[in-house]
Amino acid sequence: MGHPFPIREIARQAGLSEATVDRVLNGRGGVRESTAREVRQAIADLDRQRTQVRLVGRTFMVDIVMQAPERFTTAVRAALEAELPSLRPAVLRSRFHFRETGPAGELVRTLDRIARRGSQGVILKAPDVPEVTAAVGRLEAAGVPVVTLVTDLPASARRAYVGIDDRAAGATAAYLMGQWLGERPGNILTSLSSGFFRNEEEREMGFRSAMRARHPERTLVEIAEGQGLDATQYDLVRAALERDPDIRAVYSIGGGNIATLRAFDDLGRDCAVFVAHDLDHDNTRLLREHRLSAVLHHDLRQDVREACHTVMRAHDALPPAGPSLPSAIQVVTPYNMPPQAAV
Protein backbone atom coordinates (compact mmCIF):
# COMPACT_ATOMS: atom_id res chain seq x y z
CA MET A 1 0.00 0.00 0.00
CA GLY A 2 2.37 2.69 -1.27
CA HIS A 3 1.97 6.22 0.08
CA PRO A 4 4.11 9.18 1.15
CA PHE A 5 2.40 9.86 4.50
CA PRO A 6 3.69 9.16 8.04
CA ILE A 7 1.72 6.66 10.09
CA ARG A 8 0.85 9.42 12.56
CA GLU A 9 -0.90 11.45 9.83
CA ILE A 10 -2.78 8.42 8.53
CA ALA A 11 -3.88 7.48 12.06
CA ARG A 12 -5.17 10.98 12.72
CA GLN A 13 -7.01 11.09 9.41
CA ALA A 14 -8.62 7.69 10.03
CA GLY A 15 -9.32 8.28 13.72
CA LEU A 16 -7.44 5.08 14.61
CA SER A 17 -4.41 4.26 16.72
CA GLU A 18 -0.94 4.29 15.15
CA ALA A 19 -0.54 0.63 16.12
CA THR A 20 -3.70 -0.34 14.21
CA VAL A 21 -2.59 1.60 11.13
CA ASP A 22 0.84 -0.04 11.33
CA ARG A 23 -0.76 -3.51 11.41
CA VAL A 24 -2.86 -2.70 8.34
CA LEU A 25 0.01 -1.20 6.35
CA ASN A 26 2.29 -4.12 7.10
CA GLY A 27 -0.34 -6.85 6.69
CA ARG A 28 0.14 -8.25 10.19
CA GLY A 29 -3.46 -9.45 10.54
CA GLY A 30 -5.79 -9.19 13.47
CA VAL A 31 -7.63 -6.23 11.91
CA ARG A 32 -11.20 -6.23 10.58
CA GLU A 33 -11.69 -5.58 6.87
CA SER A 34 -13.81 -2.51 7.72
CA THR A 35 -10.83 -1.07 9.65
CA ALA A 36 -8.50 -1.77 6.73
CA ARG A 37 -10.96 0.08 4.46
CA GLU A 38 -10.84 3.06 6.82
CA VAL A 39 -7.05 3.13 6.54
CA ARG A 40 -7.19 2.93 2.73
CA GLN A 41 -9.81 5.69 2.65
CA ALA A 42 -7.66 7.87 4.94
CA ILE A 43 -4.68 7.51 2.58
CA ALA A 44 -6.90 8.38 -0.40
CA ASP A 45 -8.24 11.46 1.42
CA LEU A 46 -4.74 12.57 2.36
CA ASP A 47 -3.61 12.12 -1.22
CA ARG A 48 -6.40 14.40 -2.49
CA GLN A 49 -5.58 16.95 0.21
CA ARG A 50 -1.80 16.71 -0.17
CA THR A 51 -1.43 20.31 -1.36
CA GLN A 52 -2.61 21.41 2.10
CA VAL A 53 -0.82 18.86 4.28
CA ARG A 54 2.59 20.56 4.11
CA LEU A 55 1.41 24.15 4.49
CA VAL A 56 2.66 26.08 7.48
CA GLY A 57 -0.26 27.29 9.59
CA ARG A 58 -2.79 26.30 12.17
CA THR A 59 -4.34 22.89 11.45
CA PHE A 60 -8.05 22.11 11.80
CA MET A 61 -9.35 18.56 11.57
CA VAL A 62 -13.01 18.74 10.54
CA ASP A 63 -15.46 15.85 10.23
CA ILE A 64 -18.05 15.97 7.44
CA VAL A 65 -21.08 13.87 8.42
CA MET A 66 -23.88 13.49 5.88
CA GLN A 67 -26.88 11.36 5.09
CA ALA A 68 -27.53 11.96 1.40
CA PRO A 69 -27.38 10.21 -1.98
CA GLU A 70 -23.89 9.56 -3.32
CA ARG A 71 -24.30 12.12 -6.10
CA PHE A 72 -24.70 14.89 -3.48
CA THR A 73 -21.96 13.77 -1.09
CA THR A 74 -19.58 13.54 -4.05
CA ALA A 75 -20.42 17.16 -4.90
CA VAL A 76 -19.81 18.22 -1.29
CA ARG A 77 -16.45 16.44 -1.16
CA ALA A 78 -15.37 18.08 -4.42
CA ALA A 79 -16.53 21.53 -3.27
CA LEU A 80 -14.68 21.26 0.03
CA GLU A 81 -11.45 20.02 -1.46
CA ALA A 82 -11.59 22.75 -4.12
CA GLU A 83 -11.86 25.34 -1.33
CA LEU A 84 -8.90 24.09 0.73
CA PRO A 85 -6.33 26.42 -0.92
CA SER A 86 -8.54 29.46 -0.17
CA LEU A 87 -8.21 28.78 3.57
CA ARG A 88 -4.44 29.39 3.65
CA PRO A 89 -2.40 29.91 5.77
CA ALA A 90 -4.67 27.70 7.89
CA VAL A 91 -4.55 23.99 7.07
CA LEU A 92 -7.93 22.25 7.01
CA ARG A 93 -7.98 18.47 6.97
CA SER A 94 -11.25 16.61 6.55
CA ARG A 95 -12.62 13.20 7.46
CA PHE A 96 -15.74 12.07 5.62
CA HIS A 97 -18.61 10.04 7.10
CA PHE A 98 -21.15 9.57 4.31
CA ARG A 99 -24.16 7.26 4.07
CA GLU A 100 -27.14 7.23 1.75
CA THR A 101 -29.75 5.97 4.20
CA GLY A 102 -30.14 4.09 7.47
CA PRO A 103 -31.54 4.42 10.98
CA ALA A 104 -30.83 7.57 12.97
CA GLY A 105 -29.08 5.47 15.61
CA GLU A 106 -26.16 4.77 13.24
CA LEU A 107 -25.73 8.47 12.59
CA VAL A 108 -25.84 9.17 16.34
CA ARG A 109 -23.13 6.57 16.95
CA THR A 110 -20.91 8.29 14.37
CA LEU A 111 -21.40 11.66 16.07
CA ASP A 112 -20.71 10.20 19.51
CA ARG A 113 -17.49 8.55 18.26
CA ILE A 114 -16.34 11.93 16.97
CA ALA A 115 -17.15 13.53 20.35
CA ARG A 116 -15.06 10.88 22.14
CA ARG A 117 -11.99 11.02 19.92
CA GLY A 118 -12.06 14.78 19.32
CA SER A 119 -12.38 17.08 16.34
CA GLN A 120 -12.06 20.80 15.61
CA GLY A 121 -15.55 20.82 14.09
CA VAL A 122 -18.38 18.90 12.47
CA ILE A 123 -20.20 19.92 9.29
CA LEU A 124 -23.49 18.06 9.38
CA LYS A 125 -26.36 17.15 7.07
CA ALA A 126 -28.80 15.02 9.05
CA PRO A 127 -32.50 14.42 9.62
CA ASP A 128 -34.18 16.65 12.19
CA VAL A 129 -35.01 14.05 14.83
CA PRO A 130 -34.60 14.28 18.64
CA GLU A 131 -31.78 11.76 18.93
CA VAL A 132 -29.62 13.66 16.40
CA THR A 133 -30.39 16.95 18.16
CA ALA A 134 -29.23 15.38 21.44
CA ALA A 135 -26.00 14.11 19.81
CA VAL A 136 -25.24 17.62 18.55
CA GLY A 137 -25.62 18.84 22.13
CA ARG A 138 -23.09 16.25 23.30
CA LEU A 139 -20.63 17.36 20.61
CA GLU A 140 -20.92 21.00 21.62
CA ALA A 141 -20.55 20.04 25.31
CA ALA A 142 -17.32 18.23 24.34
CA GLY A 143 -16.02 21.42 22.72
CA VAL A 144 -16.70 20.37 19.11
CA PRO A 145 -18.53 23.13 17.19
CA VAL A 146 -21.24 21.91 14.80
CA VAL A 147 -22.38 23.66 11.61
CA THR A 148 -25.44 22.37 9.76
CA LEU A 149 -25.16 22.43 5.97
CA VAL A 150 -28.10 22.68 3.51
CA THR A 151 -30.59 21.42 6.10
CA ASP A 152 -30.93 22.76 9.61
CA LEU A 153 -31.47 21.43 13.13
CA PRO A 154 -32.90 24.63 14.64
CA ALA A 155 -33.65 23.13 18.06
CA SER A 156 -30.08 21.88 18.49
CA ALA A 157 -27.00 23.56 19.97
CA ARG A 158 -25.35 23.92 16.54
CA ARG A 159 -23.30 27.11 15.98
CA ALA A 160 -24.79 28.08 12.63
CA TYR A 161 -26.78 26.94 9.62
CA VAL A 162 -25.32 27.45 6.14
CA GLY A 163 -27.61 27.16 3.12
CA ILE A 164 -30.53 28.71 1.31
CA ASP A 165 -33.86 29.99 2.60
CA ASP A 166 -35.80 26.84 1.77
CA ARG A 167 -39.28 28.36 2.09
CA ALA A 168 -38.27 31.01 -0.44
CA ALA A 169 -36.90 28.26 -2.70
CA GLY A 170 -40.21 26.38 -2.56
CA ALA A 171 -42.15 29.56 -3.34
CA THR A 172 -39.80 30.24 -6.27
CA ALA A 173 -40.50 26.76 -7.62
CA ALA A 174 -44.25 27.43 -7.35
CA TYR A 175 -43.89 30.73 -9.22
CA LEU A 176 -41.97 29.06 -12.05
CA MET A 177 -44.41 26.15 -12.16
CA GLY A 178 -47.40 28.47 -12.42
CA GLN A 179 -45.81 30.58 -15.14
CA TRP A 180 -44.80 27.61 -17.28
CA LEU A 181 -47.96 25.55 -16.89
CA GLY A 182 -50.12 28.57 -17.65
CA GLU A 183 -53.68 27.59 -18.45
CA ARG A 184 -52.85 23.97 -19.26
CA PRO A 185 -54.67 21.49 -17.01
CA GLY A 186 -52.81 18.99 -14.88
CA ASN A 187 -51.81 17.99 -11.38
CA ILE A 188 -48.34 18.47 -9.88
CA LEU A 189 -46.29 15.71 -8.28
CA THR A 190 -44.18 16.86 -5.30
CA SER A 191 -41.41 14.46 -4.36
CA LEU A 192 -39.50 14.43 -1.05
CA SER A 193 -36.66 12.10 -0.17
CA SER A 194 -37.75 12.08 3.48
CA GLY A 195 -40.11 13.99 5.72
CA PHE A 196 -37.43 14.21 8.41
CA PHE A 197 -35.14 16.66 6.62
CA ARG A 198 -35.94 20.23 7.64
CA ASN A 199 -34.91 21.73 4.28
CA GLU A 200 -37.30 19.49 2.34
CA GLU A 201 -40.14 20.15 4.74
CA GLU A 202 -39.68 23.91 4.38
CA ARG A 203 -39.41 23.75 0.58
CA GLU A 204 -42.64 21.79 0.48
CA MET A 205 -44.39 24.30 2.77
CA GLY A 206 -43.19 27.23 0.68
CA PHE A 207 -44.34 25.53 -2.50
CA ARG A 208 -47.78 24.63 -1.15
CA SER A 209 -48.35 28.07 0.31
CA ALA A 210 -47.49 29.86 -2.93
CA MET A 211 -49.49 27.44 -5.08
CA ARG A 212 -52.50 27.78 -2.78
CA ALA A 213 -52.33 31.57 -3.03
CA ARG A 214 -51.68 31.84 -6.78
CA HIS A 215 -53.12 28.64 -8.27
CA PRO A 216 -55.69 27.16 -5.87
CA GLU A 217 -57.20 25.07 -8.68
CA ARG A 218 -54.08 22.90 -8.97
CA THR A 219 -54.01 19.55 -7.18
CA LEU A 220 -50.69 18.59 -5.55
CA VAL A 221 -49.86 14.88 -5.26
CA GLU A 222 -47.14 14.09 -2.71
CA ILE A 223 -44.75 11.15 -2.53
CA ALA A 224 -42.05 10.77 0.11
CA GLU A 225 -39.43 8.45 1.62
CA GLY A 226 -37.72 7.58 -1.65
CA GLN A 227 -34.44 8.70 0.01
CA GLY A 228 -33.40 10.23 -3.34
CA LEU A 229 -32.38 6.73 -4.49
CA ASP A 230 -33.30 5.64 -8.00
CA ALA A 231 -34.78 2.22 -7.21
CA THR A 232 -37.21 3.37 -4.53
CA GLN A 233 -37.96 6.63 -6.32
CA TYR A 234 -38.97 4.85 -9.52
CA ASP A 235 -41.48 2.64 -7.73
CA LEU A 236 -43.04 5.57 -5.86
CA VAL A 237 -43.36 7.74 -8.97
CA ARG A 238 -44.72 4.96 -11.15
CA ALA A 239 -47.36 4.07 -8.56
CA ALA A 240 -48.40 7.73 -8.29
CA LEU A 241 -48.68 8.09 -12.07
CA GLU A 242 -50.76 4.93 -12.32
CA ARG A 243 -53.13 6.20 -9.63
CA ASP A 244 -53.46 9.69 -11.11
CA PRO A 245 -53.64 10.09 -14.90
CA ASP A 246 -53.72 13.90 -14.54
CA ILE A 247 -50.18 14.40 -13.21
CA ARG A 248 -48.42 16.62 -15.75
CA ALA A 249 -45.61 18.30 -13.80
CA VAL A 250 -43.04 17.59 -11.07
CA TYR A 251 -41.47 19.60 -8.28
CA SER A 252 -38.59 17.41 -7.14
CA ILE A 253 -37.60 18.44 -3.63
CA GLY A 254 -35.45 15.44 -2.76
CA GLY A 255 -33.83 14.18 -5.97
CA GLY A 256 -33.91 10.86 -7.81
CA ASN A 257 -34.81 12.68 -11.02
CA ILE A 258 -33.46 10.14 -13.50
CA ALA A 259 -35.76 7.53 -11.98
CA THR A 260 -38.70 9.95 -11.97
CA LEU A 261 -38.32 10.66 -15.67
CA ARG A 262 -37.89 6.97 -16.43
CA ALA A 263 -41.23 6.26 -14.77
CA PHE A 264 -42.90 8.89 -16.98
CA ASP A 265 -41.21 7.41 -20.08
CA ASP A 266 -42.13 3.81 -19.25
CA LEU A 267 -45.79 4.75 -18.94
CA GLY A 268 -45.73 6.88 -22.09
CA ARG A 269 -46.53 10.01 -20.08
CA ASP A 270 -45.34 13.54 -20.77
CA CYS A 271 -43.85 15.76 -18.04
CA ALA A 272 -44.63 19.30 -19.13
CA VAL A 273 -42.69 21.12 -16.38
CA PHE A 274 -39.99 19.71 -14.10
CA VAL A 275 -38.33 21.89 -11.43
CA ALA A 276 -35.52 20.33 -9.36
CA HIS A 277 -32.83 21.28 -6.84
CA ASP A 278 -29.01 21.23 -6.97
CA LEU A 279 -26.77 21.21 -10.01
CA ASP A 280 -25.20 17.82 -9.36
CA HIS A 281 -23.91 15.50 -12.09
CA ASP A 282 -27.31 13.94 -12.82
CA ASN A 283 -29.23 17.21 -12.94
CA THR A 284 -26.56 18.88 -15.07
CA ARG A 285 -26.96 16.19 -17.71
CA LEU A 286 -30.76 16.25 -17.54
CA LEU A 287 -30.76 20.03 -17.86
CA ARG A 288 -28.48 19.93 -20.90
CA GLU A 289 -30.82 17.37 -22.46
CA HIS A 290 -33.80 19.69 -21.74
CA ARG A 291 -35.40 17.00 -19.56
CA LEU A 292 -35.56 19.48 -16.67
CA SER A 293 -37.17 22.92 -16.99
CA ALA A 294 -35.04 24.56 -14.28
CA VAL A 295 -32.79 23.72 -11.35
CA LEU A 296 -32.79 25.81 -8.17
CA HIS A 297 -29.11 25.96 -7.34
CA HIS A 298 -26.79 27.52 -4.77
CA ASP A 299 -23.02 27.84 -4.70
CA LEU A 300 -21.90 24.78 -2.75
CA ARG A 301 -18.28 25.94 -2.66
CA GLN A 302 -19.35 29.19 -1.04
CA ASP A 303 -21.43 27.26 1.48
CA VAL A 304 -18.63 24.91 2.54
CA ARG A 305 -16.22 27.84 2.73
CA GLU A 306 -18.60 29.65 5.10
CA ALA A 307 -19.03 26.46 7.15
CA CYS A 308 -15.25 26.13 7.51
CA HIS A 309 -14.94 29.80 8.47
CA THR A 310 -17.59 29.28 11.15
CA VAL A 311 -15.57 26.40 12.62
CA MET A 312 -12.42 28.54 12.55
CA ARG A 313 -14.23 31.42 14.30
CA ALA A 314 -15.33 29.02 17.02
CA HIS A 315 -11.61 28.52 17.76
CA ASP A 316 -10.85 32.29 17.59
CA ALA A 317 -8.81 31.79 14.42
CA LEU A 318 -10.87 34.42 12.56
CA PRO A 319 -12.49 37.65 13.76
CA PRO A 320 -16.12 37.37 14.91
CA ALA A 321 -18.79 37.96 12.29
CA GLY A 322 -22.52 38.57 12.35
CA PRO A 323 -25.07 35.91 11.41
CA SER A 324 -24.52 34.64 7.88
CA LEU A 325 -27.16 35.48 5.30
CA PRO A 326 -28.92 32.68 3.40
CA SER A 327 -27.17 31.58 0.23
CA ALA A 328 -28.44 33.10 -3.00
CA ILE A 329 -30.97 30.97 -4.91
CA GLN A 330 -30.01 30.69 -8.57
CA VAL A 331 -32.57 29.69 -11.20
CA VAL A 332 -30.55 27.68 -13.72
CA THR A 333 -31.97 26.76 -17.14
CA PRO A 334 -30.29 25.00 -20.07
CA TYR A 335 -29.25 28.46 -21.30
CA ASN A 336 -27.49 29.94 -18.26
CA MET A 337 -25.60 27.04 -16.74
CA PRO A 338 -22.54 28.17 -14.73
CA PRO A 339 -19.18 27.34 -16.32
CA GLN A 340 -18.17 25.16 -13.35
CA ALA A 341 -21.21 22.90 -13.75
CA ALA A 342 -20.41 19.20 -13.52
CA VAL A 343 -19.66 17.44 -16.80
Side-chain angles (χ1 to χ4, degrees), residues 22 47 52 58 67 91 124 135 142 152 175:
D22 183 70
D47 189 54
Q52 283 276 299
R58 187 168 176 181
Q67 180 173 315
V91 179
L124 178 63
D152 198 13
Y175 174 79

Side-chain angles (χ1 to χ4, degrees), residues 54-117:
R54 301 300 178 192
L55 289 177
V56 176
R58 187 168 176 181
T59 299
F60 297 86
M61 179 64 78
V62 177
D63 288 271
I64 319 300
V65 183
M66 296 200 153
Q67 180 173 315
E70 185 272 339
R71 61 180 173 273
F72 184 76
T73 55
T74 296
V76 170
R77 185 196 291 267
L80 177 62
E81 293 177 347
E83 282 301 307
L84 292 180
S86 74
L87 301 174
R88 296 172 182 172
V91 179
L92 190 139
R93 298 259 300 281
S94 49
R95 294 183 292 229
F96 299 98
H97 314 267
F98 294 158
R99 64 181 203 155
E100 291 196 310
T101 187
E106 292 181 6
L107 192 60
V108 168
R109 284 191 287 275
T110 297
L111 296 175
D112 285 342
R113 281 198 302 271
I114 293 169
R116 287 193 299 270
R117 79 183 179 197

Side-chain angles (χ1 to χ4, degrees), residues 26-295:
N26 291 289
R28 294 199 178 98
V31 180
R32 293 191 301 269
E33 175 56 29
S34 61
T35 301
R37 283 198 302 270
E38 290 178 7
V39 172
R40 291 193 292 270
Q41 184 60 56
I43 293 171
D45 290 342
L46 284 170
D47 189 54
R48 281 194 302 272
Q49 300 169 36
R50 63 188 179 276
T51 58
Q52 283 276 299
V53 170
R54 301 300 178 192
L55 289 177
V56 176
R58 187 168 176 181
T59 299
F60 297 86
M61 179 64 78
V62 177
D63 288 271
I64 319 300
V65 183
M66 296 200 153
Q67 180 173 315
E70 185 272 339
R71 61 180 173 273
F72 184 76
T73 55
T74 296
V76 170
R77 185 196 291 267
L80 177 62
E81 293 177 347
E83 282 301 307
L84 292 180
S86 74
L87 301 174
R88 296 172 182 172
V91 179
L92 190 139
R93 298 259 300 281
S94 49
R95 294 183 292 229
F96 299 98
H97 314 267
F98 294 158
R99 64 181 203 155
E100 291 196 310
T101 187
E106 292 181 6
L107 192 60
V108 168
R109 284 191 287 275
T110 297
L111 296 175
D112 285 342
R113 281 198 302 271
I114 293 169
R116 287 193 299 270
R117 79 183 179 197
S119 176
Q120 272 71 57
V122 169
I123 298 174
L124 178 63
K125 179 185 183 294
D128 186 9
V129 294
E131 51 266 52
V132 173
T133 294
V136 170
R138 291 192 290 273
L139 279 163
E140 288 282 353
V144 180
V146 178
V147 181
T148 52
L149 180 70
V150 307
T151 185
D152 198 13
L153 302 171
S156 74
R158 57 93 174 118
R159 297 297 176 98
Y161 160 68
V162 178
I164 61 174
D165 179 333
D166 286 294
R167 280 185 181 248
T172 300
Y175 174 79
L176 296 172
M177 188 71 69
Q179 291 293 108
W180 283 332
L181 278 178
E183 299 301 317
R184 288 178 290 176
N187 299 337
I188 301 169
L189 182 69
T190 63
S191 170
L192 294 84
S193 73
S194 172
F196 292 106
F197 285 101
R198 173 72 60 158
N199 64 331
E200 295 191 20
E201 179 185 38
E202 293 189 348
R203 290 172 187 177
E204 194 266 346
M205 288 190 292
F207 185 79
R208 282 187 178 275
S209 177
M211 290 299 297
R212 187 164 52 244
R214 298 177 61 89
H215 307 283
E217 75 285 357
R218 295 281 183 195
T219 297
L220 306 185
V221 180
E222 179 182 315
I223 59 172
E225 304 309 320
Q227 305 300 325
L229 304 178
D230 285 347
T232 49
Q233 182 71 8
Y234 176 86
D235 292 339
L236 288 168
V237 174
R238 181 167 183 139
L241 293 176
E242 289 173 340
R243 288 192 304 268
D244 189 336
D246 295 325
I247 293 174
R248 294 286 182 272
V250 174
Y251 174 37
S252 175
I253 298 170
N257 301 324
I258 289 176
T260 296
L261 286 166
R262 181 159 55 87
F264 272 86
D265 291 344
D266 288 352
L267 292 174
R269 299 272 289 274
D270 177 55
C271 184
V273 182
F274 197 133
V275 179
H277 280 270
D278 300 322
L279 207 55
D280 57 28
H281 185 277
D282 287 354
N283 286 345
T284 296
R285 179 169 66 81
L286 293 173
L287 200 58
R288 285 186 172 133
E289 295 172 355
H290 293 246
R291 302 297 309 277
L292 302 181
S293 308
V295 171

